[in-house]
Amino acid sequence: MTDATRTAAPADATRTVGPPAATPADGTVGYPLPAGYDQPEPLGEGGMGVVCRARDLELDREVAIKTLQPRYVGAASAAAQFVREAKITARLQHPGIPPVHDIGTLPDGRPYMVMKLIRGRTLSELLKERGSGPSAWLDEFEAVCHAVGYAHSRGVIHRDLKPANVMVGAFGEVQVMDWGLAKVLNSTEFDSLEDRDPDPPAVTRSGFTPPEPTRTGSTKGTPAYMSPEQARGDTRQIGERSDVFSLGAVLLTLLTGRPPYTGADVVTVVRQAATGDLADAHRRLARCGADRDVISLCRKCLSADPADRPADAEQVATEVARIRKAAEQAVHTRRVRRWQLALGGVAVVVSAALGFGVWLTAQAERQKALAVANTRGELARTLDEVERRLAKGDWDEAAERFLDAKELAGRDPDPDTAEKGRLGELQRNVRTSRDLMDFYRYYADKKAPAWGAFEKAFTRVGITLDLARADETARQVSRHPFAGVFHAVLKRQADFDPDPDRRRRLSAVVNDQQLVTAGLRPRLLAMEVESGAQAAKSFAPSMFGD
């Protein structure tokens, strides 16, 4: 943490600030390669890392190799952070996140990772070349939101979202780069990469103490795009909604050409971010000429209170998709009206043309209504299939079919409230099934998952594990569609939980008469546990990439 009386020299507030740099070792930036690669060609370098293009000799393909700069030789903390970034990125298997092919260590001790070579330019570079606009970048922004939304679903937040960390490929593909500041939230999938912020929040009794531009404690990220809680170093509030704020900051930049905070130096910008000073940003937003719904979404994402923002990036992506479809429909409507007017003018001379125009419009409306009806029917059938797969315990296929259902729901311009509610409920059940598969991996090794993750999985589906009230917990479990599997999971947790008192209380829930009378026989439970454990073992490699 910087001293309260110290000020920072002017610096670029759009550059990332992060953990204190280790004392650099002597050396110059170079591009040594691990065995099996040659033809290095520099691509760029940042505050800590360098990236070069190289050829994979075994597979005869071009790849990107990232490693620490030579000045960080021997810097253990920098190396550990680099390896952590590589492992997190490797586990986030999504088309919008660059895949990691390999990690290792150079002879001088620096870690490296081999990644897919992205041929393109950053969104920041393209923005400077083509300029901002009210609707010019919505496609790319939606793709960024989907990639970040996937990370949120896996319990990971980025913490440094900005146009410079988004690559747009030669064919329009969008990649969210640089996961070096990613934070793992409460997720059993990333237990081996559990995040710990080593420094206390950058706050004193006299108020906020701004960090230096390239050295800070718990304030990590790029000041011009930070949420207030991130700028204050309030680790208790930093979560998915902090990334949502940064997405709003990116959207504002795409609409107006500048990020939310623009000050003379980093200290000024961080102060603005910490207090949520967005008066100038809102003025620019009001004048940008974008669609009213786009401006409204941007304002929600930039809310000072995290509770007022969308819950995660996938919600933002869904809203952007809705706005885009509405805009496309409006264009179609205007074209139809122009045809109607043109045909109406001709009807003054040839009255038959007017009748043809009316018929044409009616045909278009009928086709549209038929397409919507078909989509809704297919959505209902797909949701039925998801429910059947969940009931059978075929959770892998259920998750795949649920993605199909979300895509179908996105096509409906006026979704039915009941279907939206059903989609939300199934989303919670699919995510819970993923948690259950993860739990079974622990039980197969006679271990128990972390209690916080276990408890959160039940809370997500409306079950409160109040172990002091075994009868109430048993009542909630017995009424859920997953009652049989939940009962088996609770029994396994009671067998392997490291806390003796919790094991005793869990056993009281498992043996409660309400669950026994629900028809959950010991033999059935044993079959469920054994089949679940077997499924988890075969399913884990494809789902978790381990």
Side-chain angles (χ1 to χ4, degrees):
M1 187 185 304
T2 58
D3 184 73
T5 61
R6 186 176 181 182
T7 59
D12 184 359
T14 63
R15 297 187 64 183
T16 304
V17 296
T23 301
D26 291 336
T28 59
V29 175
Y31 301 93
L33 295 177
Y37 302 91
D38 70 0
Q39 301 178 19
E41 177 184 340
L43 293 178
E45 59 183 86
M48 295 177 64
V50 294
V51 182
C52 72
R53 185 203 322 263
R55 176 161 295 280
D56 182 337
L57 298 178
E58 183 174 356
L59 296 176
D60 191 25
R61 62 177 177 180
E62 287 191 316
V63 295
I65 299 180
K66 180 177 180 180
T67 186
L68 287 175
Q69 294 182 12
R71 62 196 180 104
Y72 289 102
V73 170
S77 61
Q81 179 180 330
F82 184 94
V83 172
R84 185 175 174 280
E85 174 192 355
K87 290 185 176 181
I88 289 178
T89 308
R91 294 194 184 190
L92 296 177
Q93 299 181 34
H94 184 275
I97 300 174
V100 175
H101 302 315
D102 189 20
I103 62 172
T105 306
L106 296 173
D108 62 8
R110 285 180 293 153
Y112 69 85
M113 61 173 139
V114 182
M115 310 174 69
K116 174 184 177 181
L117 178 65
I118 310 297
R119 302 178 186 276
R121 287 183 291 173
T122 68
L123 189 54
S124 180
E125 293 169 339
L126 292 174
L127 190 60
K128 291 178 182 177
E129 177 184 303
R130 303 177 190 174
S132 57
S135 60
W137 302 100
L138 282 184
D139 287 357
E140 289 80 3
F141 181 69
E142 182 183 347
V144 170
C145 292
H146 280 302
V148 179
Y150 171 80
H152 287 178
S153 75
R154 314 305 286 174
V156 175
I157 58 176
H158 189 283
R159 291 200 295 183
D160 197 18
L161 295 168
K162 56 185 177 182
N165 281 343
V166 176
M167 288 286 293
V168 180
F171 298 97
E173 65 273 29
V174 176
Q175 303 272 303
V176 178
M177 313 292 289
D178 198 351
W179 293 80
L181 294 185
K183 179 181 177 68
V184 178
L185 302 177
N186 191 5
S187 172
T188 56
E189 181 180 347
F190 290 89
D191 276 352
S192 62
L193 302 174
E194 185 177 4
D195 186 60
R196 290 279 187 261
D197 282 328
D199 302 312
V203 177
T204 67
R205 290 183 180 178
S206 61
F208 177 75
T209 303
E212 294 179 275
T214 58
R215 182 182 180 91
T216 180
S218 59
T219 302
K220 300 179 177 70
T222 301
Y225 294 87
M226 278 183 186
S227 66
E229 64 272 16
Q230 195 171 347
R232 293 192 301 266
D234 187 354
T235 57
R236 294 169 300 178
Q237 283 198 308
I238 294 174
E240 293 94 338
R241 285 180 165 90
S242 304
D243 273 356
V244 168
F245 184 96
S246 297
L247 288 173
V250 170
L251 179 56
L252 177 74
T253 306
L254 298 177
L255 295 175
T256 71
R258 287 186 293 162
Y261 310 115
T262 54
D265 53 54
V266 171
V267 171
T268 301
V269 171
V270 175
R271 282 198 177 116
Q272 290 177 350
T275 58
D277 182 2
L278 291 165
D280 175 66
H282 287 308
R283 282 193 295 269
R284 286 186 280 124
L285 193 57
R287 299 193 303 263
C288 72
D291 182 89
R292 181 176 57 189
D293 288 345
V294 174
I295 293 176
S296 175
L297 174 62
C298 191
R299 290 185 187 279
K300 288 179 182 177
C301 292
L302 292 174
S303 296
D305 187 347
D308 294 334
R309 303 171 203 156
D312 55 36
E314 190 58 32
Q315 284 194 8
V316 181
T318 301
E319 181 63 10
V320 174
R322 185 196 67 78
I323 292 170
R324 288 180 55 244
K325 291 184 189 306
E328 292 168 1
Q329 182 61 37
V331 171
H332 172 73
T333 301
R334 286 195 296 270
R335 288 174 178 170
V336 170
R337 287 175 179 171
R338 283 198 296 268
W339 272 101
Q340 289 173 334
L341 290 172
L343 291 172
V346 174
V348 175
V349 180
V350 184
S351 60
L354 180 59
F356 175 74
V358 173
W359 175 85
L360 190 64
T361 302
Q363 284 292 100
E365 291 298 325
R366 279 196 291 271
Q367 290 296 326
K368 176 184 173 183
L370 180 61
V372 170
N374 288 340
T375 297
R376 290 175 177 173
E378 188 176 355
L379 173 60
R381 290 190 293 273
T382 304
L383 291 177
D384 290 341
E385 178 67 14
V386 173
E387 289 182 339
R388 284 194 293 271
R389 295 288 183 179
L390 287 172
K392 291 171 60 178
D394 190 358
W395 295 332
D396 186 14
E397 185 63 26
E400 292 293 331
R401 297 296 289 151
F402 179 75
L403 293 177
D404 295 339
K406 285 190 69 175
E407 194 274 332
L408 287 168
R411 298 182 197 170
D412 192 341
D414 186 23
D416 179 78
T417 301
E419 290 296 347
K420 288 174 63 177
R422 188 181 180 197
L423 193 70
E425 178 65 25
L426 284 176
Q427 182 173 14
R428 288 189 290 273
N429 286 343
V430 167
R431 187 167 180 181
T432 298
S433 70
R434 188 165 57 209
D435 290 334
L436 294 175
M437 295 302 300
D438 207 9
F439 295 158
Y440 277 129
R441 298 172 66 200
Y442 285 91
Y443 301 145
D445 295 330
K446 300 188 183 304
K447 298 178 181 178
W451 177 252
F454 186 82
E455 190 175 33
K456 183 177 180 181
F458 280 83
T459 302
R460 188 179 296 120
V461 293
I463 297 176
T464 302
L465 293 182
D466 185 356
L467 300 186
R469 300 178 61 195
D471 57 340
E472 174 59 20
T473 301
R475 183 188 68 79
Q476 294 181 52
V477 174
S478 65
R479 294 183 178 183
H480 195 277
F482 283 8
V485 180
F486 281 164
H487 194 171
V489 169
L490 287 165
K491 185 175 185 300
R492 284 297 195 183
Q493 189 74 16
D495 290 340
F496 302 123
D497 195 285
D499 187 324
D501 182 63
R502 202 153 51 220
R503 287 201 303 271
R504 177 180 61 78
R505 291 175 181 268
L506 283 168
S507 296
V509 174
V510 170
N511 296 320
D512 188 277
Q513 188 63 30
Q514 295 176 89
L515 292 182
V516 175
T517 57
L520 306 175
R521 298 183 298 276
R523 183 169 180 271
L524 177 59
L525 291 177
M527 292 172 63
E528 286 175 340
V529 172
E530 294 304 321
S531 63
Q534 183 178 3
K537 286 182 178 179
S538 62
F539 183 62
S542 63
M543 172 170 278
F544 302 100
D546 289 330

